[in-house]
Amino acid sequence: MAHLDLSADVVTLTQQLVDTFSVSHHEQEIADAVEAALRTLPHLTVTRRGHTLVARTDLGRGERVVVAGHLDTVPLNDNLPSRLEDGVLHGLGTCDMKGGDAVMLKLAADLTEPNRDLTFIFYEAEEVDSVHNGLRKLTESDPDLLEADFAILMEPSNAAIEAGCQGTMRVDVRTTGERSHSARSWKGVNAIHRAAPILARLNDYVAREPEIDGLTYHEGLNATGIRGGVAGNVIPDECVVEVNFRFAPDRSEADAEAFVRDFFDGFEVTVTDMAAGALPGLDRPAAKAFVDAVGGEPAPKFGWTDVAQFTKLGVPAVNFGPGDPMFAHKQDEHVPVEHVERCERVLKEWLS
């Protein structure tokens, strides 16, 4: 089992986490290591559900803050082990989001007498379909463990606050035809050719950019895959275009689905996955206090994050973590050391 040294500095701890393989559905080793580290801390009560860990103080403070981060990564892309060069840590998960996890572990170890009660959540399976998401599962099995006045998700946000998040929806848009031998193609109907209007509509799509609580969100509707074909000498009778819709948080899931079905009117549309967005909620007192502590101007979160899980529970939440989200999931994924150190410093000061 990997060993995590909670006495090490936050950058070294980030490297230890990065070098512990944890691609989605393979989080056993890292979850065991995090659990072993947390159970050495007598001021925390630790609960495990699958490969998700919850560690809580119970000091009777007047306010409780949740700090959460996922343990899994996207698949390996020749970007392990980690390497530290010129103040930048490179490697799978450095940005998304083991730098944030390291900050959480340092806070958990060092803040024995915080000014607010704290709940730390390290969870599994964020990078895959929402049915597997460890935080979502907690909202159903143990919602009491997520009760709080405010939540901070340590997703990469350039060590600044990104508020709310957009929703995400995946659909299959399907065409059908009739098989025939490709030497006698006129005897069949080519389903792949029939998908051309789907791609044309996507190419002509103009993104909506609503302003919410002073933040401008940017929607996106894109083909992310296409599948079809039977054999090299057969006219295909089916083609499926996989489409991802990223929708602003002022749309409900029902509104998003209605928009997509209308956009692809005339085609068969099947929803395969959906997660609601989260409104910024910057008007809530706890959120305002944290914004004041961090400083700077909050920005909108364009990608989906698990702030939406907290929003469903009525807990205001923001994204605040080290790393540029533009480098998440890329082969050259990396995190500036100064981001990791800033997040640790800001949170320690606010919670001390």
Side-chain angles (χ1 to χ4, degrees):
M1 183 178 71
H3 173 70
L4 301 175
D5 182 5
L6 298 186
S7 67
D9 65 87
V10 71
V11 178
T12 299
L13 189 54
T14 300
Q15 287 186 276
Q16 293 174 1
L17 288 166
V18 170
D19 291 334
T20 304
F21 182 84
S22 61
V23 170
S24 304
H25 303 309
H26 299 278
E27 298 100 323
Q28 170 103 39
E29 182 180 8
I30 197 168
D32 288 349
V34 170
E35 180 180 18
L38 291 173
R39 290 197 183 280
T40 67
L41 305 173
H43 60 285
L44 296 175
T45 300
V46 180
T47 302
R48 180 164 180 167
R49 297 286 184 266
H51 298 323
T52 295
L53 283 306
V54 181
R56 292 162 48 96
T57 65
D58 191 13
L59 302 171
R61 303 293 194 241
E63 203 171 51
R64 177 174 292 277
V65 172
V66 170
V67 189
H70 63 83
L71 295 171
D72 63 319
T73 71
V74 296
L76 184 64
N77 189 14
D78 194 27
N79 49 0
L80 280 181
S82 64
R83 71 182 194 280
L84 182 61
E85 296 178 353
D86 301 323
V88 177
L89 183 62
H90 301 260
L92 176 64
T94 48
C95 170
D96 190 14
M97 55 172 292
K98 291 184 176 180
D101 292 331
V103 171
M104 290 169 57
L105 283 171
K106 289 298 292 181
L107 296 175
D110 296 348
L111 293 177
T112 57
E113 290 288 337
N115 56 21
R116 298 163 172 84
D117 268 309
L118 300 175
T119 300
F120 298 98
I121 304 176
F122 302 84
Y123 60 100
E124 63 182 323
E126 189 271 349
E127 299 288 9
V128 289
D129 287 351
S130 60
V131 66
H132 305 293
N133 185 296
L135 188 62
R136 184 197 63 79
K137 289 180 178 180
L138 273 183
T139 67
E140 298 174 354
S141 67
D142 300 88
D144 55 306
L145 293 180
L146 280 73
E147 290 179 355
D149 299 284
F150 183 56
I152 300 167
L153 199 67
M154 299 293 298
E155 285 280 357
S157 61
N158 284 302
I161 292 175
E162 290 186 338
C165 74
Q166 299 202 140
T168 182
M169 176 182 181
R170 295 186 181 94
V171 300
D172 286 345
V173 186
R174 180 175 282 99
T175 62
T176 57
E178 182 181 351
R179 292 190 194 185
S180 73
H181 196 295
S182 61
R184 294 176 292 278
S185 58
W186 60 91
K187 295 294 186 180
V189 178
N190 195 311
I192 293 178
H193 292 182
R194 282 187 163 184
I198 296 173
L199 301 178
R201 291 185 196 184
L202 288 168
N203 194 54
D204 292 339
Y205 165 77
V206 176
R208 175 174 168 264
E209 299 182 59
E211 183 175 306
I212 307 167
D213 288 355
L215 304 177
T216 301
Y217 290 83
H218 191 291
E219 295 187 329
L221 187 66
N222 292 280
T224 56
I226 188 166
R227 61 184 189 268
V230 180
N233 60 352
V234 177
I235 299 301
D237 60 349
E238 182 180 73
C239 180
V240 175
V241 180
E242 300 168 11
V243 175
N244 183 209
F245 182 37
R246 298 287 177 150
F247 54 95
D250 59 342
R251 288 193 199 261
S252 68
E253 290 173 289
D255 291 339
E257 182 174 350
F259 169 78
V260 169
R261 290 191 181 280
D262 181 67
F263 187 87
F264 293 114
D265 184 43
F267 294 96
E268 179 185 342
V269 175
T270 303
V271 177
T272 59
D273 189 46
M274 178 136 61
L279 291 166
L282 295 179
D283 57 336
R284 303 286 288 272
K288 285 183 176 179
F290 186 62
V291 169
D292 290 343
V294 174
E297 290 294 327
K301 188 67 169 179
F302 294 121
W304 186 89
T305 74
D306 278 310
V307 295
Q309 308 286 4
F310 291 104
T311 298
K312 285 191 293 187
L313 296 174
V315 179
V318 298
N319 304 280
F320 176 71
D324 183 344
M326 295 295 290
F327 289 97
H329 303 184
K330 292 177 68 68
Q331 185 178 37
D332 62 342
E333 182 176 356
H334 59 265
V335 64
V337 165
E338 64 179 0
H339 280 198
V340 183
E341 293 174 340
R342 167 175 160 73
C343 287
E344 180 191 20
R345 182 177 66 256
V346 167
L347 286 168
K348 276 187 176 178
E349 289 175 356
W350 186 57
L351 294 168
S352 295

